[in-house]
Amino acid sequence: MSTFYSDIRCGVRQLIKSPGLSVLAVLILALGIGTCATMFGFVNTFLLSRLPFDDAERLVALQASNTRSGNPCCVSFPDFLDWQEQNRSLEAMAFYQMDNATLSVSGTPEKIKVTHVTADLLPILGVRPAAGRLFTPQDDQPQAPMTALLSHGLWQRRFGSQPDVVGQAIELDGQSATVIGVLPAGFVFPTWSRDQGELWQPLRPWMERPDHRWLLVRGASGNSGSIGKLKPGVTIAQARADMDVIARQLEQKYPESNRDSGVYLTGLRDHMVRTLKPVILLLTGAVALVLLIVCANTANFLLLRSAERIQEFSVRSALGAGQWHIVRQIVCQSLVLVTVGGFVGILLALAGNKLLFALFPAHLQSREVAFMLLRSYSLLFTLGLIVATALVSSLASVLHICRSNLTGQIRSQHRTTTNRRGHRLRDSLVVAEIALALILLVGAGLLLNSFIHYMRTDRGFDPDHVVALRLSLPDQAERRESFCRQLLDQVDALPGVKYAGLSSGLLDRYLSTSCYTVEGAPAPELGQHFWVHYFDVTPEFFQAMGMRLVQGRYFTEWDTNDDIVIVDQAFVEKWWPDEDPIGRHINFFDGRKEVIGVVGHVKQRGVDKECYPCLYQTGHRVWSVSFDRSLVVRTQTNPTDIVAPIRQIITQLDATVPIFEIQTVHQIMNDQSRLRRVSAGVLGGFAFIALLLSALGIYGIMAYAVVQRTQEIGIRMALGARAWDVLRIILAHGSKLTIMGVSLGLLGTIALGGLIRHYLFGVTAHDPITFLCVIAVLVAAALLACYVPARRAARIDPMVALRCE
């Protein structure tokens, strides 16, 4: 043990001898280890750690799916009942439906997210109430009195953590419900979803309300899903096979509603992270490349230090030191260097967690998730990473020393080794750094180019100076219509307002779909339906959103009947690509409607998502979806400045109308593109680090080469070589390494193309412009790193160089 401590002290002394170079190496290591520790926190939290539910490994998510496309979709409640009754692989199944409701406590209305569940969902998850009790089967009967469970956050926020809240009556959407319990702190479901409920209610009593009975129709579904618990010993593959059999039986029994309908079944964790997982894995791969570059840089640093100590090692060998003793000193020096860099990296990881965490969607930014990023697992991983990095970084030096002739070196007049093997090893590490950096830069460049194409693609509307407020309108028809007319009139009169309109949905929020047929066109096959997104809107909604009128006309104040509609270009291209759509008729379940206008197609869910054709109907008297509406206002100035006056108008008109989800349209678009933005931004940051590390690596090699060749340079200059000749020699060596690294990196980008093509939009995985730009940047950085030591070499005084040892 004393020998080990002696080797550690020797390693510390060696680092202190060259403080500048040691500090640079520590910072490089800190960047690599810090980024790895940060990403491991996210991987551990979202992909590795166990869900906080009982028997979490047996929990599965079930949804309906289209057997042609394979895409999962929401669950129809009648289908769920058949799944529950006929399956043989699940010991329990539960259904949930997400919705919004107006909560009134002490006369103050607030719109909250409500999860309606069957009575067995919470017991399947193993939830135990913090106060009161959970739902019983009796609570989940069609005619049962309305009950409710409060989330811990809602209990604290709206009820002041009152211990006597159990048994208290609250008002939800104008109906009384009794609070029977409070859920524990930290419990959220669905986990990592923006639809996490704040209040929970039994499903059946809510579903029996007249405006919710449509959920009892087979094939109809809302924002719903289901979970199940596998029987002991049953695998997910066996459960899928079981559910596929049931799906085929239902398709034969109900061909009209269940044609091409299957069952999507996967582990609950995989279902919860299905949108995050690709992004996290992509960034993890990028961090692994950064760490390899760091290891190559550190290995080069240690090689240089070993070369400087070659005489020392030769003397030690001559005095009887074994090869293991010398290897141990090299490894200990590496361990000291990497440990210092690792602890600095941990500090960077703490800051990096907060930075990367802030880039993710708001529903992931809870205190519980932030705490999980800093758990002991991450610290243990970092310690293991420090040891692994130290061993990998010292490997090149160990191999080099083991293959060197230490006995011959003791007779050398030079303090450093100049054998070709050492040069080749250092050059190879630099080539590897450049190749890895090129792969990272190409990946970042493709994602950045893709993101630029995404943001520049026409969405069919103008988002500038537009703000939206979601309102929950009164139930009574006359009161609702009066409120809407007065609201629009008064908002239109506000200074700076250009247009104001109401809509049942906005972009990908609160989309409603309906099946239809077109007069004069063939009817769909049995079991098939034509689907359209539809919106109830007021006349100025189109101008407020900046949508283009292509044909016909907009709605007017006098269009109060419900038999006219406006369709979008996608609808026209589907049915009347070469004909005039004005005056055509569309049949819905509630009657026949005439087309009076055509607007440009709006990409509701983002430009990279497939979307149904859209249809708009008048929204003054027709309120077919629900009583929630988005007030969309286009202004001449900053749109957020108009929010306070609008709030005041709404309060004066009806203080019981809650306002929620206040966002500019740009903010909604940013939410849609958030994961693309995170991927491009973070990968770009990693690529910049890789570029910097590669430049430092080639700079170090060239600077060391200048020192090694000082006497040679002096002799050349004494014999008549000019400064340009010396500059050319050094730059030629650096250019050779750069070309080799770029060539090797281009081979690596072939594999990268297959991995990254699913993340791209508007560009190919081998986009020539991106490749040329990336190669130009990398070559320029490498040549600049070569030029600095080359310029120093060109200024060497020949007389000083000839006296250099």
Side-chain angles (χ1 to χ4, degrees):
M1 185 61 71
S2 60
T3 305
F4 175 74
Y5 288 144
S6 175
D7 290 338
I8 293 294
R9 288 196 299 270
C10 180
V12 172
R13 288 196 299 270
Q14 291 297 325
L15 295 180
I16 294 175
K17 282 184 179 180
S18 303
L21 198 58
S22 298
V23 169
L24 181 61
V26 166
L27 292 178
I28 290 173
L29 283 163
L31 280 175
I33 294 175
T35 52
C36 279
T38 298
M39 281 311 304
F40 177 78
F42 280 84
V43 171
N44 182 52
T45 298
F46 296 110
L47 303 184
L48 301 180
S49 63
R50 182 178 177 274
L51 287 175
F53 305 133
D54 290 352
D55 298 323
E57 66 282 353
R58 292 166 55 196
L59 297 177
V60 295
L62 299 98
Q63 287 186 292
S65 69
N66 186 292
T67 55
R68 293 187 179 183
S69 65
N71 296 326
C73 52
C74 295
V75 183
S76 170
F77 186 67
D79 285 342
F80 164 78
L81 294 178
D82 287 326
W83 297 353
Q84 188 179 46
E85 179 183 354
Q86 299 177 30
N87 88 86
R88 298 293 179 266
S89 54
L90 303 173
E91 69 177 31
M93 283 182 66
F95 183 92
Y96 60 91
Q97 168 75 29
M98 312 299 298
D99 194 27
N100 291 325
T102 301
L103 169 66
S104 295
V105 179
S106 302
T108 304
E110 177 188 0
K111 203 72 173 182
I112 61 171
K113 294 185 181 296
V114 180
T115 308
H116 303 280
V117 300
T118 52
D120 46 1
L121 187 140
L122 295 174
I124 288 176
L125 298 176
V127 179
R128 296 161 186 83
R133 64 175 178 85
L134 300 180
F135 300 128
T136 64
Q138 290 73 31
D139 294 321
D140 194 26
Q141 297 300 316
Q143 304 304 322
M146 297 291 288
T147 55
L149 286 168
L150 306 179
S151 70
H152 201 272
L154 182 65
W155 175 54
Q156 290 179 319
R157 181 169 56 84
R158 287 304 304 267
F159 297 89
S161 302
Q162 299 174 10
D164 58 346
V165 71
V166 176
Q168 182 175 330
I170 59 175
E171 187 176 301
L172 287 170
D173 284 340
Q175 293 195 344
S176 178
T178 303
V179 176
I180 63 170
V182 178
L183 295 173
F187 171 73
V188 291
F189 185 86
T191 310
W192 303 317
S193 168
R194 71 179 185 182
D195 291 326
Q196 295 164 356
E198 298 179 88
L199 186 141
W200 296 61
Q201 282 194 291
L203 179 72
R204 299 295 184 93
W206 175 81
M207 195 179 290
E208 287 297 320
R209 292 175 52 176
D211 50 340
H212 298 145
R213 288 190 63 82
W214 57 271
L215 282 166
L216 296 171
V217 178
R218 187 176 296 273
S221 61
N223 188 11
S224 58
S226 63
I227 64 170
K229 191 172 187 179
L230 296 172
K231 290 181 178 178
V234 176
T235 65
I236 289 180
Q238 291 171 332
R240 283 190 186 129
D242 180 26
M243 297 305 298
D244 284 342
V245 172
I246 298 173
R248 299 288 69 76
Q249 293 173 349
L250 293 178
E251 183 178 26
Q252 294 176 3
K253 189 174 181 179
Y254 307 104
E256 185 171 347
S257 60
N258 286 59
R259 185 169 182 177
D260 298 328
S261 180
V263 180
Y264 160 90
L265 186 149
T266 190
L268 185 59
R269 165 178 288 283
D270 291 337
H271 176 68
M272 298 301 181
V273 299
R274 65 190 185 281
T275 56
L276 281 175
K277 186 175 181 178
V279 175
I280 292 178
L281 290 179
L282 175 68
L283 298 182
T284 302
V287 168
L289 292 179
V290 170
L291 183 62
L292 288 176
I293 295 174
V294 168
C295 288
N297 246 322
T298 308
N300 248 333
F301 170 80
L302 293 173
L303 269 174
L304 295 178
R305 299 309 306 269
S306 298
E308 292 174 356
R309 298 179 65 190
I310 194 69
Q311 284 286 330
E312 174 195 338
F313 290 148
S314 300
V315 171
R316 287 178 180 271
S317 177
L319 294 176
Q323 198 172 64
W324 165 244
H325 176 79
I326 295 174
V327 167
R328 193 175 64 232
Q329 282 213 344
I330 295 174
V331 173
C332 286
Q333 181 182 358
S334 172
L335 187 61
V336 170
L337 179 67
V338 177
T339 300
V340 176
F343 281 111
V344 177
I346 291 175
L347 299 178
L348 291 179
L350 296 177
N353 275 333
K354 296 179 181 178
L355 177 62
L356 188 57
F357 186 66
L359 296 176
F360 276 77
H363 60 271
L364 298 176
Q365 299 178 20
S366 65
R367 295 177 60 185
E368 290 78 10
V369 173
F371 174 74
M372 290 178 72
L373 297 177
L374 305 177
R375 280 184 175 175
S376 57
Y377 303 113
S378 296
L379 297 179
L380 289 175
F381 170 81
T382 305
L383 293 177
L385 187 65
I386 288 173
V387 174
T389 304
L391 294 176
V392 172
S393 300
S394 61
L395 184 61
S397 297
V398 169
L399 293 176
H400 177 57
I401 291 297
C402 290
R403 294 177 179 179
S404 297
N405 182 9
L406 296 180
T407 304
Q409 287 295 332
I410 198 172
R411 294 190 294 269
S412 174
Q413 297 179 355
H414 297 282
R415 290 174 299 172
T416 58
T417 181
T418 58
N419 65 73
R420 293 182 179 179
R421 185 185 297 115
H423 286 314
R424 285 199 301 268
L425 189 55
R426 287 188 290 272
D427 288 350
S428 297
L429 289 173
V430 171
V431 168
E433 287 184 55
I434 294 174
L436 293 172
L438 178 68
I439 294 173
L440 259 181
L441 285 167
V442 167
L446 288 172
L447 285 181
L448 179 60
N449 198 357
S450 173
F451 182 70
I452 292 173
H453 275 80
Y454 181 94
M455 297 304 294
R456 287 181 175 177
T457 302
D458 183 20
R459 294 171 179 249
F461 62 92
D462 179 9
D464 294 334
H465 303 292
V466 183
V467 67
L469 303 85
R470 193 72 177 170
L471 313 175
S472 188
L473 302 179
D475 293 349
Q476 300 81 8
E478 292 184 3
R479 181 181 164 199
R480 182 171 61 246
E481 183 176 347
S482 174
F483 174 86
C484 291
R485 290 190 181 279
Q486 293 182 65
L487 173 65
L488 293 176
D489 289 343
Q490 294 188 34
V491 170
D492 272 328
L494 289 174
V497 171
K498 296 178 67 176
Y499 301 103
L502 290 166
S503 174
S504 57
L506 185 63
L507 298 183
D508 63 340
R509 313 277 177 91
Y510 309 103
L511 288 175
S512 300
T513 58
S514 177
C515 56
Y516 67 96
T517 59
V518 174
E519 285 192 0
E525 298 178 8
L526 182 65
Q528 296 292 321
H529 300 282
F530 300 134
W531 294 97
V532 65
H533 286 311
Y534 70 96
F535 300 84
D536 295 335
V537 300
T538 55
E540 285 193 348
F541 169 77
F542 302 102
Q543 293 94 327
M545 283 295 294
M547 297 168 62
R548 299 182 298 273
L549 181 66
V550 178
Q551 286 180 268
R553 65 177 179 86
Y554 289 128
F555 296 130
T556 68
E557 294 293 333
W558 296 274
D559 290 324
T560 56
N561 56 326
D562 60 353
D563 59 357
I564 57 174
V565 294
I566 293 175
V567 297
D568 69 351
Q569 278 183 304
F571 195 100
V572 173
E573 290 168 2
K574 180 178 178 65
W575 295 108
W576 312 293
D578 302 315
E579 303 175 42
D580 185 3
I582 305 302
R584 299 296 184 116
H585 292 89
I586 307 171
N587 297 318
F588 292 88
F589 65 92
D590 60 344
R592 178 172 175 261
K593 303 180 187 294
E594 179 184 349
V595 176
I596 66 166
V598 179
V599 294
H601 182 51
V602 173
K603 299 184 182 298
Q604 311 285 349
R605 302 167 58 207
V607 296
D608 58 340
K609 299 288 194 309
E610 183 181 357
C611 195
Y612 291 133
C614 296
L615 176 147
Y616 305 86
Q617 60 187 14
T618 53
H620 276 297
R621 301 179 186 274
V622 182
W623 306 92
S624 59
V625 184
S626 71
F627 299 143
D628 289 350
R629 289 294 178 272
S630 293
L631 174 63
V632 183
V633 182
R634 176 174 293 276
T635 66
Q636 297 174 340
T637 56
N638 186 347
T640 57
D641 294 342
I642 207 71
V643 172
I646 293 176
R647 277 184 177 275
Q648 186 176 1
I649 291 173
I650 294 172
T651 303
Q652 291 174 350
L653 291 176
D654 193 334
T656 65
V657 172
I659 308 170
F660 57 106
E661 294 184 9
I662 303 172
Q663 286 184 298
T664 65
V665 173
H666 271 298
Q667 288 173 328
I668 298 174
M669 292 170 55
N670 289 340
D671 286 343
Q672 292 178 338
S673 61
R674 168 110 36 188
L675 292 182
R676 285 188 175 275
R677 191 185 304 271
V678 170
S679 301
V682 177
L683 191 62
F686 291 157
F688 175 77
I689 293 174
L691 178 64
L692 178 63
L693 294 180
S694 299
L696 289 175
I698 199 169
Y699 169 80
I701 285 295
M702 292 299 102
Y704 181 73
V706 168
V707 173
Q708 287 285 294
R709 302 175 68 175
T710 299
Q711 283 189 331
E712 175 195 340
I713 293 171
I715 293 173
R716 287 177 179 272
M717 297 185 73
L719 294 176
R722 294 170 298 174
W724 165 246
D725 297 322
V726 175
L727 195 68
R728 179 174 51 80
I729 292 172
I730 303 300
L731 286 177
H733 182 55
S735 300
K736 177 183 175 182
L737 297 181
T738 303
I739 293 172
M740 293 173 62
V742 168
S743 301
L744 186 62
L746 288 175
L747 295 177
T749 58
I750 297 175
L752 174 71
L755 296 174
I756 205 173
R757 66 176 185 272
H758 301 295
Y759 302 88
L760 302 180
F761 174 82
V763 296
T764 65
H766 301 97
D767 179 58
I769 296 178
T770 302
F771 273 69
L772 289 175
C773 292
V774 165
I775 291 173
V777 169
L778 184 58
V779 170
L783 291 180
L784 179 62
C786 295
Y787 175 75
V788 175
R791 187 167 177 267
R792 187 184 305 129
R795 293 182 173 183
I796 290 177
D797 186 340
M799 297 305 298
V800 174
L802 291 173
R803 289 195 300 267
C804 181
E805 182 181 345

